Amino acid sequence: MKNILVFITFLFVIHSFSQTTNKSVFVNFIENPIVLDANLNENEWKDSKGASGFWQYFPSDSAQAKQQANIKFLFDDKNLYIGAKVNAPDNKFITPSLRRDFRAGGSDNITFLFDTFNDGTNAFIFGTNPYGVKREMLLSGGGSELRGFTMAWDTKWQCKTKIKDDHYIIEMIIPLSAFKYREGETKWRFNSYHFDTQYNERNTWVNIPQNQFIFNLAYMGEMIFEKPLGKSKSPISIIPYVNAITAKDFENKTSITDLKFGGDAKFTIGNSMNLDITLNPDFSQVEVDQQITNLTRFEVSLPERRLFFIENSDLFADFGNNRDSNPFFSRRIGIAKDANDNTIENDIIAGVRLSGKVNNNLRVGLLTMQTAEDIENEIPTVNSAVITLQQKLFSRSNISFMIINKEATKEYDFLAEEDTYNRIIGMDYRLASEDNSWVGKYFIHKSFSPGIKNKDYSAGFSTQYFNRNFSARINGVYVGENYQSDLGFLRRTDIFKISPQIERTFWPNESKIQKHSFSITPIFIWKPELNFKNSDYAISSRWRANFINTAELTAEINNRFTYLFSEFDPTGTDGAIPLPANKGYAYSSFNLSYRSDQRKNFSYRIEPSVGTFFNGKKYSLTTNLAWRIQPYFSGSMQINYDKVILPNPFPNASIWLIGPKIDITFNKSLFWSTFIQYSSQQENFGINTKLQWRFAPLSDLFIVYNDNYYSNNFAPRFKSLNLKLTYWLNI
C-alpha cells in the first residue's frame, strides 16, 4: 500500500508542472457561406481578428518569426472557414509535388492542428502549400512520437490558394462533419506551424521549445467560438469498389482472372463516434511494400495502409511495446498460414468497427472481422475481435483496457486444439505531463490459449524526462515464454529487456551547427527461463549534429553481443553452413550518416558502416538520392550494399538492394508512379507502375501493372494487371 501511495504522489508531482498559454483567436459565426476564391475580400473576413505573432521554432525558439502568417476563422452551421496570409521574402516557393498528403520537410507549407476535445492527446490536422495541394492527418499520443501520425486518413474538404509577390493566400472550407467534437462546445485547442524555405524558418503560433516536436499537443492556444457548436449533420459515406485483375504465377504455373465487388460504409454516431462497415473488402495493395535487407533472425513489421483500420487506429494499435510486444497488429488480419506454413492472403467476408469518444474523457473501440475458410490450404474461418476503453486521467494522461480474441468459428479435422483460439486481456497507462517534460508508458497483458496455464504474461515500463539540454529514459519489457498473440507482433518470447538512454544536447551560438548532442543507449536482453542468461546486448554511442541549412550528420559506435540458441545464417545463402548454436558472438561497428539540405533540387543521404559481424566482418553502404523538377517530377534512387565476410566454412555474401522510383504529377488529379526494386537477398526483380486518376473527391481509378522476375536469371516469376475503381459517395 505504501508503494502505491508513493507512486500516486509521484504522478501528482509530475502533473503539477504545467505549460500554460493565454493565446487565443476568436471565431465569428456567419449566416452566409463564404465563396472559395482565395481573395479574402468579404466583409466577414475583414471583421475577423486573426491569429498572428508566430514564433520561430527553427533555427531558434526564442525569437519572433521573420515572416509572419495571419490566420482567420469563421464558421456557420455546416463548415469551418480558414483564411490565411503567409508572408515570404518572394514567390520562389518550393513545392516538390502536386500529390496529396505531402510531407512538410523541405518545402513551403502551412499546417493547422485542432484538438477538438481539449484533451492534449488527439488532433485533426489539415495543411496546404502555395500551390493549394492538400494534406490531412490524424495525430495521437499527444504528439510525443513521430509514429503518432496517421497520414492514410482522408476526408472531403476544399482549398484554394493564390501566390503573390511576397506572400500567398489560402482559403479553406472544412465541413464540421470532418471533425469529431462534443455538441455544445465553445472552444477547441489550436496551433499552427508554417515552413519558410527562403528564410529557412519553421514557425509556430504558440511558442514550442525545440526539445519538443513541432506538433506537440502540450503547447496550444485556443479557438473561441462565438456561439456553441451544434450537432454536426454528418453524411453517410458509401465507398463501393470494383477490382478487375488478371495475373499469371509462373512459379506455380497458374493463371488468375478475377472480378471483385464490395465496399465500405462510414456512419457518424452523434458528433464523436465512427461506425465503419466493410463487406467483401478488397485489401489488395495498389502500392507495393518497400523491400528491405534483413540480416536479423526476426520478422520485420510493415505499416498499415488499409483505410478500414485507419481512423482512431491508436485505440487498437498503441497497446504494449510496439517493437517487442504489440498485442494487436492489424496487418495480421487478411493473411494466414497454409498447410505448408507459407503466408498467403486470406479473404475477409465482412467487418465492423465502432470507435471514438463517448464523452470528453472516455474513448471506446470495438472491432470484429470474419475471414473466409480455405479448405484446400487448411485455413479455418476465423473471427477476430477487439474491445478497448481509454479513460483520460489528469491533464493529458490516460489509462486503457483491452480484450483481443481470435477464434475459429467452426470445427475442422485439420485444426489442432492449440490453434482454436487465442485471447489477450490487458491494461496500459500512458503518462504525459502537461508540458510534456515527463512521458511514460506502463502495461501488463495476459494471454489465454488452449493448454497453457503459466508464463503467459507480458509487461513493460517506460519513463522519460527531458528538457532543453538533457534527457534520460529508463524502460524495460518482459515477455513470458508462453505468451502468445496471434493478432499481434512479437519478435520472440521468454525475454526480459532493459534499454535506458541518456542524452546531452548543446546549442552553439553563431555557428553553422544549430544543435548537436551526445547519447548512449545500452540494451540488454536476458532469458528468464534459462536462469536469466544474457542472450543479447547492444551499446550504442552516438553524436548527432543538425546544421542551420537543415543538413544532418551522425557518427555512431555500436558494440553488440548475440548468443545463438539455434543455428543461423545471417546471409540467407541457400545450402550454406549456418553459424553453430549454443555460442556467443561479440562484434562492433562504426557508422556514419549524412543527410544533405532537403530544400535543394538534388538531395541525398549516405550511410557507410564498417565493423565485425558475428565471427566475421561486414561492410555496408546505404545511399538515397533524390531529384525533383518541381512541381511535376520527382525521382529517387535507393542503393543498399552489404558485404558479409565470414570465415570458412561459413558463407560470404554480397547483398544488393536497388530501388529507383519515379513520380510524375501531371496535375492535382492525375499521377503516374513507377517503382523498380531489385533484391539479391529475396532473389527478386520487381516493377510496379501505377496510373492514378482522382476523378472526384476521394474517388480514384487505378491501373496497376506488376512484373516480377528471379534476380539471378531473370526468369519470369509473377505478372499482374489490375484495374481498380473506388467512388466516395456522401448521402
PDB file of all heavy atoms in Angstrom, residues 494 526-535 565:
ATOM      1  N   ASP A 494       9.998 -15.216 -23.970  1.00  0.00           N
ATOM      2  CA  ASP A 494      10.976 -15.510 -22.911  1.00  0.00           C
ATOM      3  C   ASP A 494      12.131 -14.510 -22.940  1.00  0.00           C
ATOM      4  O   ASP A 494      13.296 -14.875 -23.086  1.00  0.00           O
ATOM      5  CB  ASP A 494      11.506 -16.942 -23.037  1.00  0.00           C
ATOM      6  CG  ASP A 494      12.407 -17.320 -21.847  1.00  0.00           C
ATOM      7  OD1 ASP A 494      12.196 -16.767 -20.751  1.00  0.00           O
ATOM      8  OD2 ASP A 494      13.332 -18.136 -22.046  1.00  0.00           O
ATOM      9  N   TRP A 526      17.802 -10.668 -21.395  1.00  0.00           N
ATOM     10  CA  TRP A 526      18.054 -11.923 -20.692  1.00  0.00           C
ATOM     11  C   TRP A 526      16.919 -12.913 -20.963  1.00  0.00           C
ATOM     12  O   TRP A 526      15.801 -12.521 -21.327  1.00  0.00           O
ATOM     13  CB  TRP A 526      18.158 -11.693 -19.193  1.00  0.00           C
ATOM     14  CG  TRP A 526      19.319 -10.843 -18.774  1.00  0.00           C
ATOM     15  CD1 TRP A 526      20.598 -11.254 -18.493  1.00  0.00           C
ATOM     16  CD2 TRP A 526      19.322  -9.417 -18.565  1.00  0.00           C
ATOM     17  NE1 TRP A 526      21.390 -10.202 -18.134  1.00  0.00           N
ATOM     18  CE2 TRP A 526      20.644  -9.051 -18.167  1.00  0.00           C
ATOM     19  CE3 TRP A 526      18.354  -8.420 -18.686  1.00  0.00           C
ATOM     20  CZ2 TRP A 526      20.993  -7.746 -17.878  1.00  0.00           C
ATOM     21  CZ3 TRP A 526      18.702  -7.114 -18.411  1.00  0.00           C
ATOM     22  CH2 TRP A 526      20.008  -6.778 -18.011  1.00  0.00           C
ATOM     23  N   LYS A 527      17.207 -14.202 -20.776  1.00  0.00           N
ATOM     24  CA  LYS A 527      16.223 -15.279 -20.940  1.00  0.00           C
ATOM     25  C   LYS A 527      15.837 -15.780 -19.546  1.00  0.00           C
ATOM     26  O   LYS A 527      16.595 -16.531 -18.920  1.00  0.00           O
ATOM     27  CB  LYS A 527      16.817 -16.422 -21.762  1.00  0.00           C
ATOM     28  CG  LYS A 527      17.309 -16.022 -23.138  1.00  0.00           C
ATOM     29  CD  LYS A 527      16.165 -15.853 -24.129  1.00  0.00           C
ATOM     30  CE  LYS A 527      15.622 -17.173 -24.575  1.00  0.00           C
ATOM     31  NZ  LYS A 527      14.584 -16.991 -25.638  1.00  0.00           N
ATOM     32  N   PRO A 528      14.675 -15.390 -19.026  1.00  0.00           N
ATOM     33  CA  PRO A 528      14.296 -15.783 -17.664  1.00  0.00           C
ATOM     34  C   PRO A 528      14.255 -17.295 -17.452  1.00  0.00           C
ATOM     35  O   PRO A 528      14.613 -17.781 -16.372  1.00  0.00           O
ATOM     36  CB  PRO A 528      12.907 -15.153 -17.498  1.00  0.00           C
ATOM     37  CG  PRO A 528      12.916 -13.991 -18.433  1.00  0.00           C
ATOM     38  CD  PRO A 528      13.727 -14.430 -19.606  1.00  0.00           C
ATOM     39  N   GLU A 529      13.810 -18.058 -18.466  1.00  0.00           N
ATOM     40  CA  GLU A 529      13.679 -19.497 -18.296  1.00  0.00           C
ATOM     41  C   GLU A 529      15.015 -20.226 -18.406  1.00  0.00           C
ATOM     42  O   GLU A 529      15.075 -21.436 -18.223  1.00  0.00           O
ATOM     43  CB  GLU A 529      12.687 -20.055 -19.325  1.00  0.00           C
ATOM     44  CG  GLU A 529      11.276 -19.538 -19.154  1.00  0.00           C
ATOM     45  CD  GLU A 529      10.733 -19.807 -17.757  1.00  0.00           C
ATOM     46  OE1 GLU A 529      10.850 -20.958 -17.282  1.00  0.00           O
ATOM     47  OE2 GLU A 529      10.208 -18.860 -17.129  1.00  0.00           O
ATOM     48  N   LEU A 530      16.072 -19.516 -18.722  1.00  0.00           N
ATOM     49  CA  LEU A 530      17.415 -20.099 -18.768  1.00  0.00           C
ATOM     50  C   LEU A 530      18.301 -19.439 -17.718  1.00  0.00           C
ATOM     51  O   LEU A 530      19.433 -19.042 -17.988  1.00  0.00           O
ATOM     52  CB  LEU A 530      18.020 -19.939 -20.166  1.00  0.00           C
ATOM     53  CG  LEU A 530      17.314 -20.695 -21.296  1.00  0.00           C
ATOM     54  CD1 LEU A 530      17.966 -20.378 -22.633  1.00  0.00           C
ATOM     55  CD2 LEU A 530      17.339 -22.202 -21.035  1.00  0.00           C
ATOM     56  N   ASN A 531      17.716 -19.303 -16.518  1.00  0.00           N
ATOM     57  CA  ASN A 531      18.437 -18.694 -15.390  1.00  0.00           C
ATOM     58  C   ASN A 531      18.954 -17.299 -15.733  1.00  0.00           C
ATOM     59  O   ASN A 531      20.053 -16.906 -15.344  1.00  0.00           O
ATOM     60  CB  ASN A 531      19.596 -19.590 -14.948  1.00  0.00           C
ATOM     61  CG  ASN A 531      19.128 -20.906 -14.377  1.00  0.00           C
ATOM     62  OD1 ASN A 531      18.154 -20.950 -13.629  1.00  0.00           O
ATOM     63  ND2 ASN A 531      19.797 -21.990 -14.767  1.00  0.00           N
ATOM     64  N   PHE A 532      18.126 -16.553 -16.484  1.00  0.00           N
ATOM     65  CA  PHE A 532      18.436 -15.180 -16.878  1.00  0.00           C
ATOM     66  C   PHE A 532      19.780 -15.094 -17.611  1.00  0.00           C
ATOM     67  O   PHE A 532      20.573 -14.175 -17.393  1.00  0.00           O
ATOM     68  CB  PHE A 532      18.416 -14.246 -15.670  1.00  0.00           C
ATOM     69  CG  PHE A 532      17.025 -13.838 -15.273  1.00  0.00           C
ATOM     70  CD1 PHE A 532      16.284 -14.621 -14.399  1.00  0.00           C
ATOM     71  CD2 PHE A 532      16.434 -12.703 -15.798  1.00  0.00           C
ATOM     72  CE1 PHE A 532      14.996 -14.268 -14.038  1.00  0.00           C
ATOM     73  CE2 PHE A 532      15.148 -12.341 -15.449  1.00  0.00           C
ATOM     74  CZ  PHE A 532      14.424 -13.117 -14.573  1.00  0.00           C
ATOM     75  N   LYS A 533      19.990 -16.021 -18.506  1.00  0.00           N
ATOM     76  CA  LYS A 533      21.177 -15.983 -19.346  1.00  0.00           C
ATOM     77  C   LYS A 533      21.107 -14.765 -20.262  1.00  0.00           C
ATOM     78  O   LYS A 533      20.081 -14.491 -20.869  1.00  0.00           O
ATOM     79  CB  LYS A 533      21.276 -17.253 -20.194  1.00  0.00           C
ATOM     80  CG  LYS A 533      22.528 -17.313 -21.057  1.00  0.00           C
ATOM     81  CD  LYS A 533      22.615 -18.617 -21.812  1.00  0.00           C
ATOM     82  CE  LYS A 533      23.879 -18.678 -22.648  1.00  0.00           C
ATOM     83  NZ  LYS A 533      25.108 -18.568 -21.843  1.00  0.00           N
ATOM     84  N   ASN A 534      22.211 -14.038 -20.357  1.00  0.00           N
ATOM     85  CA  ASN A 534      22.265 -12.866 -21.235  1.00  0.00           C
ATOM     86  C   ASN A 534      22.322 -13.334 -22.697  1.00  0.00           C
ATOM     87  O   ASN A 534      23.292 -13.946 -23.131  1.00  0.00           O
ATOM     88  CB  ASN A 534      23.495 -12.026 -20.899  1.00  0.00           C
ATOM     89  CG  ASN A 534      23.639 -10.790 -21.776  1.00  0.00           C
ATOM     90  OD1 ASN A 534      24.733 -10.387 -22.109  1.00  0.00           O
ATOM     91  ND2 ASN A 534      22.520 -10.176 -22.164  1.00  0.00           N
ATOM     92  N   SER A 535      21.246 -13.064 -23.447  1.00  0.00           N
ATOM     93  CA  SER A 535      21.171 -13.517 -24.843  1.00  0.00           C
ATOM     94  C   SER A 535      21.652 -12.459 -25.823  1.00  0.00           C
ATOM     95  O   SER A 535      22.138 -12.798 -26.905  1.00  0.00           O
ATOM     96  CB  SER A 535      19.745 -13.928 -25.195  1.00  0.00           C
ATOM     97  OG  SER A 535      18.873 -12.807 -25.161  1.00  0.00           O
ATOM     98  N   PHE A 565      20.886 -19.524 -29.882  1.00  0.00           N
ATOM     99  CA  PHE A 565      20.312 -20.736 -29.304  1.00  0.00           C
ATOM    100  C   PHE A 565      19.974 -21.760 -30.381  1.00  0.00           C
ATOM    101  O   PHE A 565      19.665 -22.908 -30.072  1.00  0.00           O
ATOM    102  CB  PHE A 565      19.060 -20.380 -28.499  1.00  0.00           C
ATOM    103  CG  PHE A 565      19.359 -19.538 -27.288  1.00  0.00           C
ATOM    104  CD1 PHE A 565      19.305 -18.156 -27.353  1.00  0.00           C
ATOM    105  CD2 PHE A 565      19.712 -20.132 -26.085  1.00  0.00           C
ATOM    106  CE1 PHE A 565      19.583 -17.374 -26.248  1.00  0.00           C
ATOM    107  CE2 PHE A 565      19.997 -19.360 -24.965  1.00  0.00           C
ATOM    108  CZ  PHE A 565      19.934 -17.977 -25.045  1.00  0.00           C
TER     109      PHE A 565
END
